[in-house]
Amino acid sequence: VRSSAASDVYKRQGILIVEKKGKEYLISLNNNGDINFLSEGFDQIAKVLCADRLLVKKGRKFGYINPEGNLIIPCEFDSAEQFKIGLCTEKTYRGEHLEEEISYKSRSRGTPLAKVVKNEFYGCINVDGTVVIPCVFDKIGEFVDGVAPATFYGINGQINENGEGFDIEKILSSFNNKENIEKLKKQYDKELGE
């Protein structure tokens, strides 16, 4: 069993991430030094606790556990990020090197959200795993003051933390014939430089 670096929050609570036979486990140590396995084995467990959730990877899918080791959000996402308040991340650079990244400082009043990817499309979930923004966007940027840049079928716009902002019905109604679909596809390919 090999111990992995964990945040100070874990250490104060007597919680560690350990590796055993190629899997990572969340464990706790009691006063007698006895080990209690809190989680099942994962391919990877995030070392930073955000919004009382830990990002985990199992196979090629991502999900979230709580500090007690319970799987709260199943490993069903192709990609996922840590939970952030308003999805706001503050980064401090020294030259081109990332010196510090803080996920807790928010320029938004929103609830903690995590960006996830499913079937190559971006969306956002809350800490309970409820889909707040459906996975229908080509890309979602960082939220600042409750608003983020987003791309939907090659069309750029903005969404709020509830996924509102794009008139998706209007965009979908433009798909009423093959000519419009081809036109939109050409525009999309042009933006990608293809």
Side-chain angles (χ1 to χ4, degrees):
V1 177
R2 191 176 85 220
S3 176
S4 178
S7 74
D8 290 335
V9 173
Y10 294 151
K11 291 177 185 173
R12 285 193 300 268
Q13 295 175 352
I15 298 172
L16 295 171
I17 297 170
V18 296
E19 182 180 334
K20 181 179 179 184
K21 296 182 180 178
K23 296 288 182 185
E24 291 187 352
Y25 298 85
L26 196 62
I27 66 164
S28 66
L29 300 173
N30 66 18
N31 292 338
N32 297 331
D34 297 326
I35 296 174
N36 180 27
F37 281 81
L38 301 174
S39 74
E40 61 183 278
F42 292 98
D43 295 318
Q44 191 173 7
I45 299 176
K47 309 305 184 256
V48 178
L49 180 68
C50 294
D52 210 30
R53 297 290 180 263
L54 291 161
L55 179 63
V56 295
K57 182 179 181 186
K58 192 168 200 173
R60 294 179 178 215
K61 300 290 183 179
F62 294 84
Y64 299 85
I65 62 175
N66 64 13
E68 291 77 40
N70 301 314
L71 186 63
I72 303 299
I73 301 169
C75 296
E76 59 185 32
F77 300 104
D78 303 324
S79 180
E81 294 183 5
Q82 296 282 6
F83 279 95
K84 301 172 188 173
I85 304 293
L87 291 176
C88 179
T89 302
E90 186 172 291
K91 297 179 181 180
T92 305
Y93 288 89
R94 177 170 288 177
E96 293 183 6
H97 303 287
L98 180 64
E99 188 175 83
E100 183 178 24
E101 185 171 328
I102 302 169
S103 296
Y104 297 104
K105 196 167 188 178
S106 175
R107 291 172 273 178
S108 171
R109 293 187 184 137
T111 58
L113 297 175
K115 278 195 283 188
V116 294
V117 177
K118 202 172 199 180
N119 299 321
E120 299 183 20
F121 291 101
Y122 287 78
C124 294
I125 60 172
N126 67 16
V127 294
D128 298 321
T130 302
V131 175
V132 177
I133 300 173
C135 293
V136 297
F137 291 93
D138 301 328
K139 185 151 181 66
I140 298 175
E142 295 297 318
F143 282 83
V144 176
D145 295 326
V147 178
T151 306
F152 180 79
Y153 283 94
I155 299 170
N156 294 320
Q158 291 185 330
I159 56 172
N160 66 19
E161 294 168 325
N162 297 316
E164 302 163 337
F166 269 95
D167 187 349
I168 293 175
E169 292 301 319
K170 184 177 177 183
I171 293 168
L172 291 177
S173 70
S174 71
F175 288 101
N176 62 2
N177 64 45
K178 213 173 201 171
E179 184 181 314
N180 285 347
I181 293 171
E182 287 302 315
K183 185 178 175 182
L184 192 57
K185 185 178 181 332
K186 284 180 184 176
Q187 177 187 351
Y188 185 69
D189 290 343
K190 182 181 175 186
E191 284 187 30
L192 292 177
E194 297 178 0

